[in-house]
Amino acid sequence: RRRAVRGGGRRCGSLGPSPLTGSPPQALVDDTEDVSLDFGSEEELALRKAKIRHPLATFFHLFFRVSAIITYLFCDWFSNSFVACFVTILLLLSFDFWSVKNVTGRLLVGLRWWNQIDEDGKSHWVFEAKRVPTIAASTEAEARIFWLGLIICPVIWTVFFFSTLFSLKLKWLALVIAGISLQTANLYGYIHCKLGGQKSISRGTSKFSVTDVPKRQTGRVSEDRIEEHGKTGTR
Amino acid sequence: FAGLADVSISEDIPVEGEITIPVGSRSPDEDYSTLDEPVRDTILRDLKAVGKKFVHVMYPKKSSALLRDWDLWGPLVLCVSLALMLQGGSADSKDDGGPQFAEVFVIIWFGAVVITLNSKLLGGTISFFQSLCVLGYCVLPLTVAMLVCRLVLLAGSGTVSFIIRLIVVVAMFGWSTLASTAFLADSQPPNRKALVVYPIFLFYFVISWMILTFTPQ
């Protein structure tokens, strides 16, 4: 949504002489052509005040990771079968990896990373950070939950790794290694995004990669539609 | 700019325009913004990509779709189902084939990693995850073979059933190897193709051997 901006800014119209022309607002600018405020509705006001704007995303961000850890710790209570526990934990870890990478990252902190293969077969890792805040952008609380969840869980899985190794319960080792690699991959990707985002110049989005992002057939890659006043996220 | 020093803009002319922050490239990608799409779209899109790859494995022809868009969901599902079918014994006892399950897992993933490293060391142009993706997806025919073997074993385990299983496993083994070499061998220089195909052959051979020698307790 682009709006023509006249004179002194978005809320002009009845603010007196416009600074650019130095004369009273012209007949072109009358009250019916005021640029209306974006955030007048009650729903949006409530959204801005809420501490957590994406409750579902926050829940799922933590749900899969924490359930994987709990299942690992208490698998003997749930079931006698090693296989069932193994498969359950593995599926939880995979869902967690997918949801943190594809959904909660972009909703909670506006960061995204992915891998891309160009025509030469070279693979590029692209890291992207959204800079312009929108109405439904994340809050402090959400960002804090995101990073805490992202950092604490790989640490816990590393502890499990050592405990498995030293107690010689080696059949769990494959699972613990899978857990560590999946969660560390997400952690590494997001830290890369975050650090890169802080270094870049102020643009709508900061994107740093080896090549420019070409258009892809499947549409997994995108450009952010970041405009002057941002965009309301659909959730 | 010297010539412009005496140009002045009349103060009666209102100045208006649009202020937008230019984004990287204003390409037609605006239709493809995945940053704000509903979650269900993301899920469906990924599921479709996985399904397309399964179809590609069954009818291998040299297409780049399998390679461009790698994902590891298919290999994970195949690996888990193969490992589940390969474990012997009842599923509810303490000693329930746990080690065999993890074994199959480790063999498949570790084997795929070693093959990928091998092909990279030989100078291949394919990336690490692409190769893992292809090798994982090409386990599909062998998973089908395992399913067929289990069904045949339900009927009996005599010589006839062994012959049937042998034929099925050999056929699927050939299919897997052909499918994966169709995708992977192209990325190598011509004089190295045999060096790359050989570990793939071994990898699927080991898996086929595990399938063929499987006997339920």
Side-chain angles (χ1 to χ4, degrees):
Chain A
R1 287 156 31 209
R2 286 181 210 151
R3 300 236 168 86
V5 176
R6 300 202 162 100
R10 284 156 55 178
R11 287 189 229 181
C12 71
S14 43
L15 283 179
S18 72
L20 277 183
T21 66
S23 61
Q26 304 288 317
L28 292 167
V29 183
D30 61 18
D31 284 357
T32 62
E33 281 187 326
D34 267 3
V35 176
S36 60
L37 299 182
D38 294 302
F39 26 87
S41 80
E42 283 178 17
E43 224 176 69
E44 290 177 341
L45 274 174
L47 197 61
R48 287 172 88 70
K49 286 210 210 109
K51 285 204 118 179
I52 295 195
R53 290 187 192 141
H54 303 105
L56 214 55
T58 317
F59 170 72
F60 274 111
H61 176 72
L62 294 176
F63 171 69
F64 288 129
R65 329 198 119 208
V66 172
S67 344
I69 291 180
I70 292 182
T71 315
Y72 179 80
L73 286 173
F74 300 119
C75 58
D76 283 336
W77 292 0
F78 293 143
S79 145
N80 274 334
S81 154
F82 166 78
V83 171
C85 285
F86 190 101
V87 173
T88 312
I89 298 178
L90 194 64
L91 286 179
L92 285 171
L93 286 171
S94 317
F95 291 153
D96 163 70
F97 177 80
W98 183 89
S99 62
V100 170
K101 179 173 180 296
N102 288 309
V103 178
T104 61
R106 62 174 158 97
L107 287 176
L108 294 184
V109 287
L111 298 173
R112 216 171 19 144
W113 61 278
W114 70 87
N115 174 268
Q116 196 172 305
I117 318 266
D118 63 14
E119 279 88 26
D120 298 333
K122 276 209 278 293
S123 98
H124 304 289
W125 294 95
V126 184
F127 304 95
E128 196 175 73
K130 192 168 179 175
R131 304 267 262 142
V132 179
T134 67
I135 292 179
S138 55
T139 57
E140 278 285 326
E142 285 178 338
R144 208 173 305 139
I145 293 179
F146 178 82
W147 289 107
L148 279 180
L150 204 64
I151 294 177
I152 292 185
C153 291
V155 170
I156 297 184
W157 281 103
T158 317
V159 170
F160 287 161
F161 174 74
F162 286 114
S163 81
T164 317
L165 199 60
F166 293 139
S167 66
L168 294 179
K169 284 199 275 190
L170 295 178
K171 64 182 181 179
W172 291 105
L173 207 59
L175 188 64
V176 177
I177 292 180
I180 292 181
S181 30
L182 288 175
Q183 310 224 319
T184 320
N186 256 329
L187 179 65
Y188 178 75
Y190 280 115
I191 288 187
H192 227 284
C193 286
K194 184 88 183 167
L195 294 180
Q198 284 166 0
K199 276 193 285 189
S200 75
I201 57 176
S202 70
R203 290 163 55 187
T205 52
S206 57
K207 188 182 307 204
F208 49 107
S209 68
V210 180
T211 62
D212 274 337
V213 177
K215 179 173 166 184
R216 277 176 34 163
Q217 283 84 355
T218 60
R220 254 170 68 188
V221 169
S222 74
E223 310 289 329
D224 287 331
R225 267 175 290 158
I226 304 298
E227 303 176 77
E228 169 196 22
H229 40 265
K231 197 176 156 315
T232 326
T234 57
R235 171 62 185 92
Chain B
F1 288 89
L4 293 175
D6 51 357
V7 172
S8 64
I9 301 176
S10 157
E11 288 187 347
D12 289 335
I13 304 175
V15 178
E16 62 176 86
E18 293 183 13
I19 300 179
T20 52
I21 302 174
V23 181
S25 52
R26 282 259 178 226
S27 59
D29 278 9
E30 297 206 355
D31 292 332
Y32 281 145
S33 168
T34 58
L35 202 69
D36 295 313
E37 66 179 1
V39 181
R40 205 179 41 156
D41 282 1
T42 316
I43 297 180
L44 283 179
R45 200 187 46 223
D46 282 348
L47 281 178
K48 273 194 223 153
V50 171
K52 239 194 302 191
K53 288 203 191 71
F54 277 131
V55 170
H56 263 113
V57 171
M58 297 314 282
Y59 301 106
K61 36 186 202 297
K62 292 193 200 351
S63 85
S64 56
L66 201 75
L67 293 187
R68 294 281 304 256
D69 250 347
W70 59 268
D71 76 76
L72 293 178
W73 285 107
L76 178 73
V77 166
L78 287 174
C79 191
V80 168
S81 35
L82 192 61
L84 278 176
M85 288 194 277
L86 269 174
Q87 55 153 8
S90 63
D92 279 343
S93 63
K94 261 298 180 182
D95 250 18
D96 63 342
Q100 287 122 332
F101 181 88
E103 230 171 61
V104 172
F105 231 89
V106 166
I107 287 180
I108 292 184
W109 286 101
F110 188 65
V113 166
V114 165
I115 295 180
T116 309
L117 284 178
N118 173 66
S119 87
K120 286 204 82 85
L121 284 174
L122 284 175
T125 58
I126 203 171
S127 94
F128 182 77
F129 287 107
Q130 272 178 323
S131 168
L132 279 187
C133 168
V134 170
L135 288 168
Y137 272 100
C138 290
V139 171
L140 177 66
L142 286 171
T143 312
V144 171
M146 183 69 217
L147 199 59
V148 170
C149 283
R150 281 214 90 149
L151 292 175
V152 167
L153 278 170
L154 283 179
S157 50
T159 319
V160 176
S161 93
F162 177 75
I163 293 179
I164 299 178
R165 282 185 290 136
L166 182 67
I167 295 175
V168 169
V169 169
V170 167
M172 294 299 166
F173 161 66
W175 196 336
S176 281
T177 314
L178 280 174
S180 56
T181 48
F183 294 116
L184 290 178
D186 270 350
S187 60
Q188 294 288 337
N191 53 341
R192 297 255 174 93
K193 281 208 198 323
L195 282 174
V196 167
V197 170
Y198 168 69
I200 300 179
F201 180 89
L202 258 188
F203 176 63
Y204 289 124
F205 181 77
V206 166
I207 299 180
S208 320
W209 183 260
M210 285 197 296
I211 294 176
L212 194 58
T213 57
F214 170 77
T215 46
Q217 246 88 55

